[in-house]
Amino acid sequence: MFATLNACQVLDRLNAGQGYAPGENKTRRNECTATKPGAATDSLALDPVQGLNEFAQRNVAAVQTSINGRRAMQAAMPLGGCAIAVEVGEHARALVLMTLATGPRDPQACVDAQALAERLEPLLPKVR
């Protein structure tokens, strides 16, 4: 499903010109994390196995939302920051995470995560 998308290449493209260091993939999964020193950390995971149902099961406080008309869910993360899962298929999602240096409970993290997800959405495969 994500055969042609590399999470680090996509994240670097979305972060271009915003002061982020190049993204790093620290696992074998198609995920990437980039840091803007003293300001924020954002991550992108392209998951071809888990969809929105799995996100909802792991994040009981998740709320339904929409990203450019595509089904999505948003949740505050236990250690701080905000996650938005964007549907790519019944069993596939793109997960955007945003953590701000201003503090773990800064509501701006969800505003920034939503903005990143909105820029990401047109690059994702269309839901069948």
Side-chain angles (χ1 to χ4, degrees):
M1 173 151 293
F2 294 112
T4 61
L5 290 180
N6 173 287
C8 280
Q9 290 174 352
V10 172
L11 189 61
D12 287 346
R13 177 176 164 186
L14 296 172
N15 285 339
Q18 297 182 48
Y20 282 87
E24 292 184 60
N25 182 326
K26 297 180 181 176
T27 70
R28 294 187 335 176
R29 298 174 61 202
N30 193 3
E31 58 188 30
C32 192
T33 299
T35 301
K36 183 176 183 177
T41 299
D42 63 6
S43 301
L44 171 63
L46 301 175
D47 190 333
V49 178
Q50 299 182 86
L52 294 184
N53 288 338
E54 290 83 0
F55 183 81
Q57 289 169 4
R58 287 195 156 168
N59 300 280
V60 293
V63 296
Q64 291 190 15
T65 187
S66 175
I67 300 296
N68 299 342
R70 196 185 290 238
R71 288 184 57 218
M73 297 192 85
Q74 176 179 305
M77 301 311 298
L79 299 176
C82 187
I84 295 182
V86 181
E87 184 177 55
V88 179
E90 183 179 351
H91 298 290
R93 70 181 181 217
L95 184 64
V96 171
L97 302 168
M98 180 68 68
T99 306
L100 300 179
T102 52
R105 303 280 178 246
D106 189 336
Q108 186 65 38
C110 284
V111 173
D112 292 354
Q114 175 127 1
L116 182 60
E118 287 171 355
R119 294 195 319 273
L120 167 68
E121 188 277 329
L123 306 176
L124 297 173
K126 297 301 173 207
V127 178
R128 288 181 178 73

